[in-house]
Amino acid sequence: MTLTAVLPGGSATIGLLGGGQLGRMTGMAARSLGYDVQVLDPDPQCPARAIASRTITARFDDADAAVRLARECDVVTLEIEQIAPPVLAAVARETRLCPNAEAVIVVQDRIRQRTWLDRHGFPIGAFRIARSAAECAAAVIAMDRCILKAPHGGYDGRGQVRVATTGEAERGWESLGSRPVVVEQFLDLELELSVMIARRADGEARAFPPAVNHHEQGVLDWSVCPGQLPPAVGDEAVRIGHAIADALDIVGVIAIELFLVRDGRLLVNELAPRPHNTYHHTERGCSTSQFEQFVRAICGLPLGSVNVVRPAAIANLLGDLWREGEQLDFGRALAVPEVRLHLYGKTSARPGRKMGHLSALGGTTEEARQRVLEARRLLAR
Ligand code: ATP
Ligand code: MG
């Protein structure tokens, strides 16, 4: 399908469902291009409020509020998957919604997403859908160590329980609310990687080079690009990414998180049809950032080059770094060569909350990674 482009430079307005850091950085890229930006988020103090000409404070199940946003916008997109399906439908009736509602509905529910990946033949690890404590226990007997994952609202490792015994599985089921869960076999990971595909309505698509990612306790800690990978692994990851973007008919961007298992298998972990934490380094290291690429894709502009200009790395800054009443000495981090600071404007620092990130460039991926980790170490003192 070809859609008329939403051209910048006039009064064209982009609407964002969700005003977190991803919305904020997308909005900044949109503003650089000359678009106006409006945001809907439940939190009146959301990070994207700073770059929006209008912020509607409403929940993600408030269709009336979403329609008020959509009426003012040439295109509406989202930075979070957890938008109620009737809201997506209401927006799509009013204006152009990218990505399409069906794709978001597949991704927003872990059970549906996992089943979809399986049905379409994409490589994933062993899993079961469990609908009772007994089914969770049976899954552990069949698959050994497992992770129980709640279908909704999980991010940064929340809504997940790692279990190794039938007793833990039963207690884990209860702790997740005694509702259906995905039970995944716990995989012995060699490394984690991700792919980001940008795709236009006419099907033209481009993949950023694969990123290699490191998680601590289920939360992204650092990410580098280009990731140091066997070429065959990177190529296969990109091929899988394109196939998923095509099958979901994504207009915009989609991140595909993958596992390289020690036995050599390359498996899809999960999908995110929006900008992604593991591609923040594209703002520094690539000709086009993920945020600009996203805006280009939803507005029907030519996709930008995905060339790596310089190897780049990012490290997340979690709320744990902030101590009550103390100002962090960002000067220490910024003194490290080629390091930049990205703060999201969040008013309160809670443990585990993503407050910002540091980015660094280097002559090599490893130099960039060392620089960004050194900058964060200096901050933690
Ligand atoms: P995020 O929103 O940060 O991407 P999430 O809460 O959606 O995370 P997952 O991506 O499912 O959660 O899992 C978070 C991390 O936990 C993974 O990146 C990986 O490090 C680890 N993990 C998840 N599933 C498995 C598994 N089956 N085997 C081994 N490790 C896993
Ligand atoms: Mg994940």
Side-chain angles (χ1 to χ4, degrees), residues 202-218:
D202 62 5
E204 190 201 328
R206 285 198 188 161
F208 286 102
V212 166
N213 313 316
H214 176 73
H215 291 74
E216 289 283 347
Q217 284 154 0

